[in-house]
Amino acid sequence: MRILIVEDELLIAFDLEMALEDAGHQVVGTATTEDKAVELALLHQPDLIIVDLRLKDGGCGRAAVKQVQASQDVEVIFASGNLDPVMRVRLEEFEPVAMLSKPYDSNELVKLVDRAA
């Protein structure tokens, strides 16, 4: 799968990228801000976006996904430390493949990606 990672914690993003590539997936980019996430998604047309909710510069992963899904069909996995019950209900509109709370194991996330492929 062609995957875009939207994560503002660089060590988490790097670990996830390595795990996904080791599993045979192609990471088309990593974004730390809402604007960069939208730009990279529109440029690279990923099959899947893995998204944190709180991003740099006050950005929002949910808002980035909304902008991207308005113009292209893309699967999404939300992986965030901010997945309280109210937020989970709000995220259902995006029909996510999964929602993972941080901290999560990158191998667990790779298994979810493999099932979505």
Side-chain angles (χ1 to χ4, degrees):
M1 289 191 91
R2 295 170 37 81
I3 302 169
L4 174 63
I5 298 170
V6 181
E7 170 64 62
D8 65 337
E9 294 183 43
L10 295 178
L11 289 177
I12 292 173
F14 180 74
D15 179 56
L16 185 53
E17 181 176 352
M18 294 298 103
L20 290 166
E21 288 180 346
D22 287 347
H25 301 287
Q26 178 186 3
V27 175
V28 297
T30 300
T32 59
T33 66
E34 181 181 328
D35 290 341
K36 191 66 172 179
V38 173
E39 175 187 328
L40 289 175
L42 296 177
L43 177 66
H44 295 292
Q45 305 279 312
D47 302 308
L48 175 73
I49 304 174
I50 299 171
V51 185
D52 188 6
L53 293 175
R54 290 191 184 157
L55 303 173
K56 285 194 180 211
D57 300 333
C60 175
R62 182 173 166 251
V65 169
K66 190 170 197 147
Q67 289 180 61
V68 172
Q69 285 187 336
S71 64
Q72 67 188 55
D73 187 29
V74 62
E75 298 287 340
V76 63
I77 293 176
F78 290 102
S80 179
N82 304 299
L83 291 173
D84 60 55
V86 172
M87 182 55 72
R88 285 179 178 271
V89 169
R90 288 182 182 162
L91 296 175
E92 285 298 328
E93 73 175 287
F94 301 104
E95 299 179 13
V97 171
M99 290 185 251
L100 287 177
S101 293
K102 286 182 180 176
Y104 58 83
D105 181 276
S106 60
N107 292 323
E108 177 185 1
L109 187 54
V110 169
K111 287 178 187 176
L112 288 171
V113 171
D114 288 341
R115 277 188 255 151

